[in-house]
Amino acid sequence: SQTIHQWPATLVQPVGSPLSLECTVEGTSNPNLYWYRQAAGRGLQLLFYSVGIGQISSEVPQNLSASRPQDRQFILSSKKLLLSDSGFYLCAWSLIYGYTFGSGTRLTVV
Amino acid sequence: GENVEQHPSTLSVQEGDSAVIKCTYSDSASNYFPWYKQELGKGPQLIIDIRSNVGEKKDQRIAVTLNKTAKHFSLHITETQPEDSAVYFCAASTGNYGQNFVFGPGTRLSVLP
């Protein structure tokens, strides 16, 4: 069966520090991968999606970047965090229909 | 592009009552409509979905109806229980890539004991 792993679960980082969030998928090949952000009490905002290794599409201009170094690995990064980067970050994968989300990372920038 | 609206934004019901959440979409090419449940501090989980060639689908206490002509679909939860309390998201899709999969803004459902 397919599983998705996302870590860390919570993270507190100072303004200006770098960020690296990792997501891995098991049990499937060549999935579409996604990073979403959810502000407190808000909806799901698509940040990046990838249809293959090294292929990244960005949905909104921002302080973040994404990379897909391996088929089932998706990384969200920032060189210098801003206060506005705080939120709940979700990784997801899909093949044909429907998304499967990870458990999320709660990022607080202080 | 696709635009998905969802109502109400918050909903409170008494335990045992029914809850209905409605979504409308703009792109008539959308053909897949899932519903997700997100509990506090967790990622959304798919609870039911429907494709455009079906008008209704039911899974125990949960049902989804689709009206393609009016471009709206609804989630129905019967005999609500406290554990149904969560945020529910609808979505519409013409495919499975990025911007083609659009979520509604969410409905916070509270089931009062």
Side-chain angles (χ1 to χ4, degrees), chain B residues 49-106:
Chain B
D49 57 11
I50 191 168
R51 289 175 174 72
S52 59
N53 59 345
V54 176
E56 182 175 359
K57 184 177 179 180
K58 189 174 182 180
D59 182 3
Q60 298 182 354
R61 297 186 296 108
I62 295 173
V64 57
T65 58
L66 171 65
N67 184 325
K68 288 187 295 182
T69 303
K71 290 190 282 188
H72 67 71
F73 56 109
S74 299
L75 177 70
H76 305 253
I77 306 175
T78 59
E79 301 173 18
T80 54
Q81 302 168 2
E83 52 264 38
D84 295 328
S85 296
V87 178
Y88 291 82
F89 292 97
C90 64
S93 173
T94 59
N96 219 17
Y97 295 157
Q99 72 273 25
N100 293 326
F101 201 100
V102 180
F103 286 92

Side-chain angles (χ1 to χ4, degrees), chain A residues 38 40-43, chain B residues 4-13 19-24 35-36 38 75 84-90 104-111:
Chain A
Q38 190 175 30
R42 303 293 295 275
Chain B
V4 178
E5 297 183 354
Q6 184 173 347
H7 299 281
S9 57
T10 60
L11 178 61
S12 293
V13 299
V20 180
I21 303 170
K22 299 181 179 180
C23 287
T24 60
W35 286 89
Y36 289 82
Q38 185 178 27
L75 177 70
D84 295 328
S85 296
V87 178
Y88 291 82
F89 292 97
C90 64
T107 296
R108 183 172 298 278
L109 172 65
S110 299
V111 179

Side-chain angles (χ1 to χ4, degrees), chain A residues 20-93:
Chain A
S20 180
L21 302 181
E22 189 164 342
C23 172
T24 59
V25 180
E26 296 178 358
T28 186
S29 296
N30 197 30
N32 300 322
L33 297 173
Y34 309 86
W35 279 110
Y36 280 84
R37 177 169 58 200
Q38 190 175 30
R42 303 293 295 275
L44 299 162
Q45 180 188 33
L46 178 63
L47 301 177
F48 300 96
Y49 70 95
S50 171
V51 300
I53 296 174
Q55 301 179 59
I56 308 294
S57 295
S58 174
E59 287 297 296
V60 293
Q62 58 201 303
N63 183 42
L64 303 168
S65 62
S67 62
R68 185 171 178 174
Q70 300 180 42
D71 180 45
R72 289 170 287 180
Q73 183 185 29
F74 206 23
I75 298 172
L76 183 69
S77 304
S78 174
K79 293 182 179 179
K80 289 185 177 181
L81 283 169
L82 306 172
L83 287 174
S84 57
D85 291 324
S86 294
F88 191 51
Y89 288 83
L90 289 157
C91 179
W93 74 272

Side-chain angles (χ1 to χ4, degrees), chain B residues 30-48:
Chain B
S30 289
N31 57 11
Y32 175 65
F33 307 92
W35 286 89
Y36 289 82
K37 175 184 180 182
Q38 185 178 27
E39 298 177 344
L40 190 63
K42 298 183 179 180
Q45 287 198 315
L46 178 69
I47 55 172
I48 195 167

